[in-house]
Amino acid sequence: SAAAGPERPQVVSHVQQALSYTVFDCKWVPRSARLVCLGSAARGTGLVQLYELHGARLELLREIEKPKPIKCGTFGATSLQQRYLATGDFDGNLNIWNLEAPEIPVYSVKGHKEIINSIDGVGGLGIGEGAPEIVTGSRDGTVKVWDPRQNDTPVANMEPVQGETKRDCWTVAFGNAYNQEERVVCAGYDNGDIKLFDLKTMSLRWETNIKNGVCSVEFDRKDINMNKLVATSLEGKFHVFDLRTQHPTKGFASVSEKAQKSTIWQVRHLPQNRDIFMTSGGSGSLHLWKYEYPAQRSKKDSEGSEMGVAGSLSLLQNVTLSTQPISSLDWSPDKKGLCVCGAFDQTVRVLIVTKLNKI
Amino acid sequence: MPVWLREHSWRQTLTAVYLSLPLRGARATPANIFCSERYLKVSIPPFLFEAILYAPIDDTNSTAKIGNGNIFFTLYKKEPAMWDSLTLANAGKEKLQYLRENAVLKAQEKAKEETEAKKITKQEHKKYALEATMKLEEAERKRIEDLKEKERQKVAEELELWKNQQKDADRYKSIQKKGELHHEIEPLKERKNEKMNKTKIPNEGTSKIGLKSTKGCCGSCNIFSQNLKEEQLPAPRAPATVKVNFTPRVFPTALRESRVAEEEEWLHKQAEARRRINSDLSELEDLKEEEKNPDWLKDKGNKMFAMGNYLGAVNAYNLAVRLNDKLPLLYLNRAACHLKLRNLHKAIEDSSKALELLTPPVPDNENARVKAHVRRGTAFCQLELYTEGLQDYEAALKIDPKNKNIEKDAEKIRHLVQETLQSS
C-alpha cells in the first residue's frame, strides 16, 4: 500500500475505465491528452479505441475494429504532424494506421508467421535523428526491422540459424539512436536470452541469459548513446544493465531486484527523467524505482580491461491497483507523471504520479 | 516433627479477635500464613502454629501484621459474639482433619474466584484499550485519506489546465501549419533543395493556394512537407539478416528459475529410462533386432491399437515393458488396451504405474498425466467405483481445466455418486 510520507511520490488514480474487451496495449497520442487502447474483442476481432481525457473521465472518440486481435502498438516512428499508429497483431501483420482515416492502413505487411508480441518505433516524433524505423518481435523467433518507406521486406531480420529450434521473442526495444547511423535493437526471449543487435554493423553486439523468460526490455532513452537497459522477467525479477562499459568477456555490469512473486510484465522509463522507471506486475501492482549511479561507473579488472560498475536501486513507491496483471503501461511524453496502464481485468486506468520534481 | 508455637496471646471484642503470635526468632512472610473461615495456620519450618477457631471469621477482611518477631492478627468475627476461647476444644482428630481439608478447599476456591475476577477485569481493560487504539488509527487513516484527496484534486486541476493549454497549442499549430505550407509551396515551384523557413504567421485565415493538390486538405499538404523532410532523411537500410543462436532449452515452455530443478529431474529420468535395458532375458536372443527396441515395439502396439487389434497391442507393450520397465507411455497405452478389453483391474494397475513414472509433474508430461487419470477414472467407473473414478477425473481437470469432455464426464459421475449415496 502507498506510503503517505510527505515527500514521497504518490500514485494517484485519476480515471478508471471499464472496457468490454481484453486490452493488450495502451499508448498516449503524442502532444495530446488522448490515448489509444489496443486489444482483442470477445468475438476474436481486433480493437483500437481512441479516448480523450475530460476531467475525471475518458471520452471515447473513436472505435476501430479490425479482423485480427491487436497485441501491441507504437507511435515511435511517426512524425508529429501525422501521428500514425503502428500495430502488430495476432496473425503477424504489421500495419500503420492514420487514426483519422483508419479504413485502409497506410502501410501493411504480413511480417511474421505468428503473433507479433512486441513493437517499438524510433526516428519519429521529432526525437533523435535518422530514418524512422519499426521493430517487431514475434513468437516465430524472429526480430525484424521495417522502414515505412519500403514495402514488403524488412531492412533487418534477426532470425534463428538454420536448424535451430526457435524461441518465442517476447519483447523488443530500440536504443543508441543518437545520430543518423547508429542504432541498436534489444530483444528478449522466453528462454531468458537477451540479445543486442547492432544495426549499423548488422551483427550481434552482446547477449546474455537472465534465467527467466524476458517479458520487457527498455533503454532509458532511445536517442542517446546507450546508457542503461532494464529487462524484466518471470518470477518477479528485473535487471538494470549499465551499457556504457562493455567488458570483453563479462559484458555489461548489472544490478537486479526481485520485486514481487509474480511476473513483471512491463518496464517504462519516465520520459522526463531517465533514472526513474515504473514496473508493472502480474499481481496488479506498480512499483516506481530510482536508479542511483555508483561513485565510479567503471573500473579496471585484474587484467586491466575496463568493466562497468552497477549502481543501486531504491523503491520510491508501490501501489496495487488490480487483482489481475497490469500488462501495459505508458508515460505521457507531454505531462510529467501522467501515465496510463491497462490490466487484464479489462480496465484501463489513468494515473498521476506526484512529486516527481522533488527527486 | 514440627515445633509447635504455643506462646500466643489473644484478646477479643464483640466483633474482632486480636491474636499475637511470637515467632521465636523465625522470619515470617505472607506465604507462611494460611487462613480460612475456621482455620488458621502459620508454618515456618520447623515451627508450626495451628488453630481451629471457635467461630467463623471473615477471612477476606481480616489482617495479619508481621513485625518485631511477632505476627499480630486482626480477625473479624462473622457473627458478633463473645468467644469462650480462641480455639475449639474437644476437637477430635477427624474433625480436625476435616476442618483442615475443608479450609484448604475453601481457600482454593476463593483463589480461583479471585483469578476469574481478575481475568474479567483484565479483558475489559484490554477491550477498552483496543477500542481506543482503533479510534486513533481510524483518525490517522482519515487524515491520510484527506491528504490524498487534496492531492488528487490539485493534480486533477493541474491536468485540466495542461489539457486546455494543449488544445490551444494544437489550434495554434494547425493555423501555423497552413501558413508554413504557403511558404513551402513557393520555393518548391522554383527550386527543389530549399531549406524550410519557419516563419510565424499569426492568424492567417483561409489562404488561397493556386496549386490544385493543396486545396485546404491537410493530408496532402503533409505530403509536401514530408517530401521535403525526406530529402534530409537517410535512405532505408540495405536489407541484411543476422543469424541468431539461442541458449538451448529442451522444453517449449518459457524458462522459470523455480521450475528448473523439477525439469532437470524429469529430463534425467527420461534419459535414464531410455538407456535401460532389462538384460536378464534369455529369450532376447530369439528376437529380431527391431523387436528388441522398446520404442519400435511401442509404435507397433500403437498401430495395432489403432486397427482394433487390442490383444496384439497388449502383447507388443508387454514385450516392450520386459525390455524397459521405466517408460511411462508403455503402461499408459497398455492401460488403454485393457480398457477396450474390459480388463478393468489391469487398466487401473497400468494407469497407476504410468502416473508413478510421470513424476515430477512438469508441463512436458501434462498430456500423459491427464490421459492416465482419465483412463484410470474410466476403469473405476466401469467397476462402479464412482467415488474413486470421480477423484481421477477431478485430478485430470486440475491439470487441464479447459477440457470440456473431461468436465462433462466429471459432472455425469458426480450425479452418479449422488444417486448411489441417496439410494444407499
Side-chain angles (χ1 to χ4, degrees):
Chain A
S1 56
E7 289 313 306
R8 291 240 258 172
Q10 298 298 317
V11 179
V12 176
S13 180
H14 188 60
V15 183
Q16 261 188 208
Q17 178 77 19
L19 305 169
S20 57
Y21 59 96
T22 310
V23 58
F24 288 111
D25 204 358
C26 49
K27 288 283 189 302
W28 289 100
V29 178
R31 295 282 196 278
S32 76
R34 295 194 293 277
L35 56 94
V36 285
C37 293
L38 311 172
S40 164
R43 54 179 171 272
T45 53
L47 272 178
V48 176
Q49 283 191 328
L50 178 66
Y51 285 96
E52 179 151 39
L53 202 53
H54 271 288
R57 51 177 204 87
L58 283 174
E59 182 184 314
L60 180 64
L61 296 180
R62 191 185 292 260
E63 181 165 303
I64 304 161
E65 193 169 351
K66 290 295 165 192
K68 298 288 172 196
I70 300 177
K71 179 71 168 49
C72 52
T74 180
F75 285 103
T78 181
S79 70
L80 279 172
Q81 290 85 359
Q82 291 176 326
R83 295 187 283 182
Y84 292 162
L85 175 67
T87 60
D89 72 18
F90 274 47
D91 221 25
N93 299 305
L94 164 65
N95 289 306
I96 304 182
W97 309 99
N98 176 350
L99 295 174
E100 311 282 311
E103 304 74 35
I104 313 243
V106 168
Y107 180 94
S108 183
V109 65
K110 170 119 167 113
H112 293 272
K113 299 196 185 92
E114 298 191 64
I115 183 176
I116 295 179
N117 281 315
S118 172
I119 193 172
D120 194 15
V122 72
L125 303 178
I127 300 173
E129 304 177 51
E133 282 175 334
I134 294 170
V135 63
T136 51
S138 163
R139 178 187 259 230
D140 67 7
T142 66
V143 173
K144 296 185 182 172
V145 181
W146 310 87
D147 187 312
R149 301 167 293 176
Q150 178 171 299
N151 287 326
D152 306 321
T153 50
V155 295
N157 181 2
M158 278 66 87
E159 62 179 15
V161 160
Q162 183 81 316
E164 174 97 22
T165 319
K166 63 160 177 85
R167 297 308 315 186
D168 215 337
C169 174
W170 279 357
T171 177
V172 288
F174 274 116
N176 206 39
Y178 63 89
N179 66 25
Q180 295 214 349
E181 289 88 33
E182 295 287 343
R183 210 160 271 189
V184 300
V185 164
C186 182
Y189 299 83
D190 75 334
N191 67 343
D193 278 350
I194 299 178
K195 299 189 189 292
L196 193 65
F197 302 106
D198 185 327
L199 295 181
K200 189 169 92 172
T201 60
M202 284 300 180
S203 62
L204 180 68
R205 190 147 157 184
W206 167 72
E207 60 183 345
T208 187
N209 185 297
I210 59 172
K211 307 284 182 276
N212 281 292
V214 184
C215 300
S216 175
V217 289
E218 195 190 49
F219 290 86
D220 56 2
R221 285 282 178 277
K222 291 188 234 221
D223 57 328
I224 59 172
N225 195 341
M226 55 190 204
N227 189 42
K228 300 199 306 299
L229 175 81
V230 176
T232 72
S233 74
L234 302 174
E235 316 245 298
K237 283 197 171 160
F238 68 90
H239 305 251
V240 184
F241 294 93
D242 183 324
L243 302 174
R244 281 289 159 90
T245 317
Q246 183 167 8
H247 186 270
T249 50
K250 297 191 188 126
F252 296 113
S254 71
V255 60
S256 72
E257 189 78 36
K258 185 168 157 91
Q260 310 151 242
K261 285 210 184 89
S262 55
T263 306
I264 300 189
W265 285 73
Q266 282 280 33
V267 59
R268 285 284 179 261
H269 289 84
L270 186 64
Q272 296 87 359
N273 182 337
R274 63 187 172 179
D275 301 322
I276 297 181
F277 58 91
M278 186 114 91
T279 54
S280 72
S283 51
S285 61
L286 294 175
H287 286 63
L288 187 68
W289 303 89
K290 180 166 168 64
Y291 180 82
E292 317 260 350
Y293 294 94
Q296 297 275 57
R297 279 184 78 170
S298 68
K299 60 179 184 194
K300 289 220 187 322
D301 71 357
S302 48
E303 274 118 48
S305 314
E306 285 287 329
M307 59 187 269
V309 177
S312 61
L313 288 163
S314 61
L315 178 65
L316 296 177
Q317 188 55 272
N318 76 317
V319 62
T320 302
L321 298 172
S322 170
T323 50
Q324 296 288 319
I326 297 181
S327 57
S328 56
L329 181 58
D330 193 38
W331 294 101
S332 163
D334 307 301
K335 173 96 179 93
K336 186 170 184 175
L338 182 65
C339 68
V340 62
C341 62
F344 283 153
D345 60 0
Q346 297 201 340
T347 308
V348 68
R349 294 171 173 85
V350 176
L351 314 164
I352 301 166
V353 181
T354 61
K355 301 208 182 72
L356 287 170
N357 287 320
K358 304 221 172 93
I359 303 194
Chain B
M1 272 306 294
V3 179
W4 293 96
L5 295 170
R6 295 198 202 279
E7 297 98 10
H8 59 279
S9 55
W10 72 292
R11 55 182 187 82
Q12 64 171 310
T13 69
L14 203 58
T15 51
V17 172
Y18 304 101
L19 171 65
S20 179
L21 181 68
L23 291 173
R24 288 222 220 150
R27 292 251 183 89
T29 66
N32 301 122
I33 302 173
F34 179 75
C35 179
S36 76
E37 278 187 355
R38 292 295 301 270
Y39 177 73
L40 177 64
K41 178 173 88 168
V42 179
S43 167
I44 310 166
F47 301 108
L48 182 59
F49 170 79
E50 201 180 42
I52 310 288
L53 300 168
Y54 187 83
I57 56 156
D58 181 359
D59 57 309
T60 332
N61 290 323
S62 305
T63 61
K65 188 160 161 208
I66 305 172
N68 293 334
N70 191 348
I71 306 182
F72 190 75
F73 289 96
T74 309
L75 308 169
Y76 295 101
K77 298 181 183 172
K78 265 232 165 115
E79 277 174 31
M82 294 310 276
W83 291 5
D84 291 343
S85 66
L86 179 64
T87 58
L88 260 185
N90 307 329
K93 217 170 177 170
E94 282 120 27
K95 185 139 199 231
L96 227 77
Q97 184 73 352
Y98 168 75
L99 279 173
R100 266 199 213 115
E101 285 171 4
N102 206 6
V104 173
L105 272 168
K106 280 233 183 91
Q108 279 178 346
E109 271 175 34
K110 220 186 336 155
K112 230 203 288 181
E113 278 172 22
E114 272 176 21
T115 27
E116 287 296 327
K118 246 202 247 170
K119 236 204 283 182
I120 293 172
T121 17
K122 201 164 160 201
Q123 274 181 348
E124 284 183 3
H125 283 164
K126 258 205 213 153
K127 221 169 119 188
Y128 177 73
L130 190 63
E131 281 175 11
T133 333
M134 276 170 60
K135 272 208 206 109
L136 276 173
E137 283 182 0
E138 195 51 48
E140 180 65 21
R141 217 175 306 170
K142 197 153 185 308
R143 186 183 71 87
I144 294 174
E145 267 309 308
D146 287 340
L147 270 174
K148 278 204 200 155
E149 195 47 48
K150 256 193 240 144
E151 184 99 33
R152 223 172 286 170
Q153 281 171 358
K154 189 165 75 146
V155 134
E157 283 166 14
E158 273 179 36
L159 200 58
E160 269 311 295
L161 224 89
W162 166 74
K163 231 201 65 189
N164 293 334
Q165 280 174 356
Q166 287 298 106
K167 271 219 172 98
D168 292 337
D170 266 341
R171 228 175 288 144
Y172 186 68
K173 240 194 224 142
S174 62
I175 297 168
Q176 213 187 1
K177 236 195 293 188
K178 288 200 188 126
E180 278 176 16
L181 290 163
H182 201 50
H183 279 245
E184 282 173 18
I185 306 306
E186 296 303 317
L188 243 188
K189 282 204 284 189
E190 297 162 12
R191 289 173 314 208
K192 234 189 165 197
N193 295 323
E194 176 98 332
K195 262 218 159 103
M196 281 203 294
N197 284 323
K198 286 207 160 110
T199 42
K200 289 198 166 72
I201 299 175
N203 292 332
E204 180 87 353
T206 45
S207 44
K208 290 218 163 70
I209 303 170
L211 292 169
K212 222 188 335 173
S213 46
T214 59
K215 248 208 191 109
C217 170
C218 256
S220 42
C221 286
N222 282 337
I223 295 174
F224 279 93
S225 64
Q226 189 77 342
N227 276 335
L228 259 176
K229 188 165 187 244
E230 272 177 33
E231 301 296 324
Q232 300 159 9
L233 285 177
R237 249 173 248 282
T241 305
V242 180
K243 292 292 185 184
V244 168
N245 285 96
F246 296 110
T247 306
R249 179 167 167 74
V250 173
F251 299 92
T253 50
L255 177 61
R256 282 175 194 270
E257 231 173 342
S258 59
R259 303 264 174 87
V260 167
E262 275 179 359
E263 289 178 348
E264 295 281 281
E265 203 191 319
W266 175 243
L267 285 175
H268 190 68
K269 262 191 155 180
Q270 291 290 80
E272 272 298 308
R274 268 186 283 269
R275 277 197 296 266
R276 262 189 65 123
I277 314 167
N278 263 335
S279 44
D280 53 30
L281 290 172
S282 49
E283 303 103 274
L284 263 184
E285 285 122 49
D286 293 338
L287 294 170
K288 290 190 270 194
E289 204 45 55
E290 52 194 7
E291 286 171 341
K292 290 191 206 161
N293 181 352
D295 276 316
W296 183 88
L297 287 166
K298 184 176 74 141
D299 282 335
K300 201 90 175 46
N302 294 349
K303 284 201 193 100
M304 287 196 263
F305 182 91
M307 292 202 304
N309 180 0
Y310 304 124
L311 281 173
V314 167
N315 278 330
Y317 295 134
N318 284 346
L319 186 52
V321 161
R322 281 165 72 191
L323 289 168
N324 184 340
D325 61 357
K326 292 278 185 257
L327 295 174
L329 291 179
L330 295 175
Y331 297 97
L332 188 61
N333 294 355
R334 200 169 66 179
C337 297
H338 283 309
L339 270 182
K340 293 285 185 188
L341 293 168
R342 308 267 320 163
N343 294 335
L344 300 172
H345 287 97
K346 290 212 171 144
I348 294 173
E349 241 179 69
D350 276 344
S351 309
S352 302
K353 183 77 186 170
L355 279 170
E356 234 181 76
L357 290 169
L358 287 168
T359 52
V362 288
D364 197 51
N365 56 28
E366 246 170 34
N367 265 335
R369 282 183 288 130
V370 168
K371 284 194 190 135
H373 278 297
V374 169
R375 284 172 195 170
R376 196 169 65 180
T378 312
F380 276 128
C381 291
Q382 295 195 357
L383 286 169
E384 298 196 3
L385 297 167
Y386 296 116
T387 324
E388 287 81 355
L390 184 57
Q391 274 177 3
D392 266 319
Y393 269 87
E394 291 187 334
L397 259 183
K398 207 161 167 225
I399 306 171
D400 184 11
K402 299 210 183 103
N403 190 319
K404 297 284 179 206
N405 289 330
I406 302 181
E407 221 185 289
K408 257 195 287 174
D409 290 335
E411 261 309 297
K412 277 196 219 143
I413 303 171
R414 237 171 255 133
H415 284 305
L416 281 167
V417 170
Q418 282 171 354
E419 276 171 27
T420 39
L421 281 176
Q422 282 169 359
S423 58
S424 60

